[in-house]
Each structure stands twice: as C-alpha cells, then as structure tokens.
Amino acid sequence: MIERPARYIRQFYPHATWRMDPDEHAVYLTFDDGPIPESTPFILKTLADFNAKATFFMVGENVKNYPQLYQQIVDAGHQVGNHTMNHLGSFKHWTTTYVINTFQANELIHAHLFRPPHGWMRHSVYYWIKKYFRVVMWDVLTRDYSKWMTPEDVVNNVKTLTRNGSIITFHDSLKSIDKLYTALPESLQWLKDQGYEFKVFP
C-alpha cells in the first residue's frame, strides 16, 4: 500500500496525477526534499551518466540555503516542483498557514507542480493547491528513506513495481543517500535495459 498506493487512496485526491500514460513505455523519475550538498551533486551526476531527466520536488528553505544547487538542477535540464517552504505536514498546520508556506516556497522554486510532504494533505488544502498547481503523487515509492531498507530492497521495489507510465519517487536527502549510491545507478541501468524512456511532466 505504501510502495504503490491502493486505488481507494488515490480517490482521496482524484485530480492529482498518480501515474502517466499506461500505453507509453516511459517512466517519470522524481526526487523529494532537496536540494542539499550531501546528496544532490551525486544524483545529478548519476542522472547525467544515464542521460536521464527527472523532476525535483524541492523544499523552499533548502533552495534558499543552496541556490547554486537549485541552479545546477535547472541548468542540467531537469524539472522543478514545489514541496512547501519548510516540509510542512498538512495535518499539523492550519490550511491558511500551509497554503501561504507553499506560495512562499514558489517565490524561490517557480514551479507549476506540487507534491505534499508525506503524500498527504487536508482536503481544504487540496482544494486550494489544485487551483494553482498540478498535484503530482506517485505510482512507485522506493522507500529509500527507510532505515529498514537496504539498497537491494530499493532496487527490488523499482524492478517489481515499475510499469508503463510509473511515477517513481526517490529522495534527495540525508536519509536516502547512503542507499542511493548503489540503488540509483542500479535502478537506472535496469530501467534502461527494459527500454523505458525517462520523461518529465508537461
């Protein structure tokens, strides 16, 4: 249920994008929570090695602290998305607070895409956010952030769950990077071997 959200969970946010065209042999790589100097440079280099484009759902505070990393992502031709200013959990904050925080982040990120931290938001938040952003969720959550997962587990999630049009979520974070040193290139090699095209969202 976590790695691939069940149909009933997807119905909570019916206008969100959970998967792209199932008839297209392509995947959409996404990275949440960055940019940070401990992981972003490695991710960018690995993506470049495989000639793969991705979408980075960034925390505004990190963009403010590391503007050069934001610029490297943009200059490399990757797509950017909004992940709030301070990685807010929707259920811990008033709707107004959350929406204002999101727009503060977008003054730095300049994105038309949004992904809520933790993959959840109040319906009152969803009502407002979807008016201004394309809400992008996921079809494959690698769980690279989990201390219980090994790099091999992360790769196995990619191999087991990926299908046409999958939106695959990794994390640009301290919790993930030790696993990504192995899991990201192995995952990209497997996806390439399967003939998947790497695409970004319109």
Side-chain angles (χ1 to χ4, degrees):
M1 187 175 71
I2 296 174
E3 289 89 349
R4 172 174 289 156
R7 186 179 299 274
Y8 78 89
I9 291 178
R10 300 180 187 220
Q11 291 174 350
F12 289 157
Y13 310 113
H15 299 289
T17 301
W18 293 89
R19 181 187 179 190
M20 296 298 281
D21 188 351
D23 294 323
E24 186 174 44
H25 198 55
V27 294
Y28 294 72
L29 304 172
T30 66
F31 293 85
D32 290 3
D33 299 349
I36 58 172
E38 294 86 352
S39 61
T40 307
F42 170 78
I43 292 170
L44 288 175
K45 180 184 183 305
T46 305
L47 290 171
D49 288 344
F50 286 88
N51 195 29
K53 296 300 185 233
T55 301
F56 287 77
F57 286 94
M58 299 191 230
V59 175
E61 187 174 33
N62 288 340
V63 173
K64 183 178 180 180
N65 290 335
Y66 307 109
Q68 73 282 5
L69 291 178
Y70 169 87
Q71 197 58 50
Q72 287 176 29
I73 290 168
V74 173
D75 289 347
H78 299 293
Q79 193 171 49
V80 299
N82 190 324
H83 206 46
T84 76
M85 187 69 185
N86 304 104
H87 202 266
L88 295 190
S90 178
F91 294 104
K92 296 181 180 179
H93 299 274
W94 296 105
T95 296
T96 302
T97 301
Y98 192 98
V99 172
I100 290 174
N101 191 272
T102 299
F103 278 95
Q104 286 175 336
N106 221 48
E107 292 177 4
L108 299 168
I109 300 170
H110 311 293
H112 72 284
L113 306 173
F114 176 80
R115 175 177 284 164
H118 314 296
W120 294 96
M121 54 186 152
R122 296 176 187 267
H123 274 278
S124 54
V125 168
Y126 175 57
Y127 173 81
W128 286 105
I129 293 295
K130 69 182 177 63
K131 288 178 176 287
Y132 300 97
F133 297 90
R134 179 177 187 171
V135 178
V136 177
M137 303 299 265
W138 67 85
D139 185 55
V140 178
L141 182 63
T142 64
R143 293 186 66 208
D144 54 349
Y145 55 84
S146 173
K147 65 181 180 179
W148 306 111
M149 300 288 283
T150 66
E152 291 74 22
D153 292 331
V154 173
V155 175
N156 189 58
N157 278 338
V158 173
K159 291 181 177 181
T160 303
L161 298 172
T162 297
R163 54 188 177 174
N164 284 357
S166 280
I167 300 170
I168 305 173
T169 297
F170 296 94
H171 289 78
D172 184 359
S173 72
L174 293 175
K175 291 182 179 180
S176 301
I177 188 58
D178 285 348
K179 289 180 277 292
L180 289 186
Y181 285 133
T182 300
L184 184 58
E186 288 191 8
S187 295
L188 294 181
Q189 185 63 59
W190 183 84
L191 291 165
K192 184 177 180 180
D193 291 345
Q194 303 307 305
Y196 284 107
E197 183 181 359
F198 300 112
K199 302 189 73 173
V200 296
F201 306 96

